[in-house]
Amino acid sequence: MEFESLLLEIAEGIATVTINRPKALNAMNAAVLGELECAFTALNSNPEVGCIILTGSGEKAFVAGADISAMAPLDAVTARDFALLGHRVMQLIEKGPKPVIAAVNGFALGGGCELAMGCDLRIASDNAKFGQPEVNLGVIPGFGGTQRLPRLIGKGRAMELVLTGDMIDAQEALRIGLVNKVYPLAELLGETKKVAKKILSKGPLAVRLSKEAICNGVEMDLDRACGYEADLFGFCFATADQKEGMQAFLEKRPAKFTGR
Ligand code: DAK
């Protein structure tokens, strides 16, 4: 696959998608979102890929937001099309069958912070900065920020970030649970790949169903969510991976999962 604004590498079951507009701090225009839609559609059904890493090009930014110069002239119809395209991308990431890890290598602002929140894990470099600065531009977060931020870090902290537009650094993001881990920039991709490899070594169906249970379950009330979890748990017992995983434990040997 050839892209203008993305780099794509697949190795050892891990796909690394790099948003590649470093001069504009990897800001997302419709072309970037369109290419992300193509890339994630293909990766989600590629059997060679078990885990996806999403990162930004260069040493300064993951994604500094939606492209403000592309957004400024939009009208109601084109802004709606832009928004719908963005939400399709987010669905592909969040509801897709494979774990997606954001390797946040610098600014993750506005749509960039929202894109990272759509991923399953966030691992940041020590120079990363997070924020929802939309109020500075006279708009509200439009890529799920008002919804995913309070779910991740709580209503009070989300209010503070969204109403003030303030940026926080990687350590603060770690403290409040916006990111899972922080590493020096030079180690970010290596450490992220280690996490991806660890996930790849587990039962692939169990990983996929766990993601599904968490992503869909948080949208339900607890009773329904636990019923949903019970259904998926039961389904595991119809799979070869469950038989192999438990047999391997009892025989004190490593499991050989097939994803079946
Ligand atoms: N858009 C376009 N260009 C950007 C940009 C952005 N968001 N951020 C940076 N750039 C460009 C700068 O204009 C500059 O370009 P040149 O002047 O060199 O041509 C280049 O990147 C380098 O930036 P700076 O010179 O400003 O670099 P500094 O180190 O001085 O400052 C900064 C870095 C990140 C603090 C600053 O660039 C900045 O404040 N950038 C804007 C951040 C921001 O406000 N982001 C939020 C945008 S609103 C949706 C999807 C997304 C969204 C909504 C809906 N749907 C699909 C549903 C999200 C909206 C937003 O993200």
Side-chain angles (χ1 to χ4, degrees):
M1 261 181 292
E2 287 290 313
F3 296 110
E4 277 192 12
S5 313
L6 295 186
L7 305 171
L8 174 60
E9 180 203 282
I10 300 176
E12 297 177 65
I14 303 168
T16 305
V17 178
T18 306
I19 299 175
N20 187 31
R21 295 186 73 212
K23 286 194 182 123
L25 303 187
N26 304 319
M28 293 182 292
N29 53 20
V32 169
L33 287 170
E35 291 191 356
L36 284 172
E37 184 182 23
C38 284
F40 274 89
T41 300
L43 293 173
N44 282 350
S45 61
N46 183 341
E48 315 265 287
V49 174
C51 192
I52 303 168
I53 295 173
L54 179 60
T55 192
S57 191
E59 304 198 333
K60 202 168 159 186
F62 171 68
V63 169
D67 188 316
I68 298 168
S69 56
M71 270 193 305
L74 296 182
D75 58 28
V77 175
T78 49
R80 184 165 185 270
D81 285 342
F82 182 70
L84 290 173
L85 170 61
H87 290 307
R88 287 203 299 277
V89 170
M90 202 58 110
Q91 284 276 329
L92 285 165
I93 294 174
E94 201 168 42
K95 306 279 189 212
K98 303 176 186 184
V100 183
I101 309 177
V104 181
N105 57 312
F107 290 112
L109 301 177
C113 187
E114 293 168 301
L115 183 68
M117 284 192 284
C119 297
D120 302 311
L121 297 174
R122 282 152 294 285
I123 302 182
S125 56
D126 50 8
N127 65 324
K129 293 228 162 30
F130 296 80
Q132 297 290 158
E134 286 86 348
V135 285
N136 297 325
L137 302 167
V139 291
I140 71 169
F143 204 15
T146 60
Q147 304 308 310
R148 289 193 182 87
L149 199 56
R151 282 169 169 77
L152 260 178
I153 65 172
K155 181 179 163 194
R157 289 194 170 111
M159 280 287 183
E160 187 179 351
L161 282 178
V162 172
L163 301 190
T164 65
D166 280 350
M167 278 189 225
I168 56 169
D169 65 17
Q171 284 306 329
E172 177 66 359
L174 181 66
R175 194 183 72 79
I176 65 177
L178 183 53
V179 302
N180 299 88
K181 299 207 184 299
V182 176
Y183 293 103
L185 180 60
E187 294 165 26
L188 176 67
L189 265 188
E191 292 294 338
T192 305
K193 282 184 182 163
K194 279 189 203 162
V195 176
K197 278 189 185 148
K198 180 181 277 191
I199 295 172
L200 281 177
S201 73
K202 311 297 177 185
L205 273 176
V207 166
R208 177 175 175 176
L209 294 174
S210 298
K211 171 170 172 171
E212 224 172 292
I214 292 173
C215 286
N216 294 329
V218 287
E219 308 303 329
M220 301 174 188
D221 66 68
L222 191 59
D223 273 357
R224 255 175 23 98
C226 287
Y228 175 59
E229 185 193 69
D231 290 344
L232 294 182
F233 181 76
F235 175 72
C236 292
F237 287 75
T239 69
D241 279 0
Q242 175 269 330
K243 307 274 175 271
E244 167 62 11
M246 293 193 179
Q247 195 61 33
F249 176 83
L250 295 173
E251 291 172 9
K252 303 190 190 303
R253 62 170 172 83
K256 287 198 198 93
F257 292 115
T258 54
R260 295 273 156 202

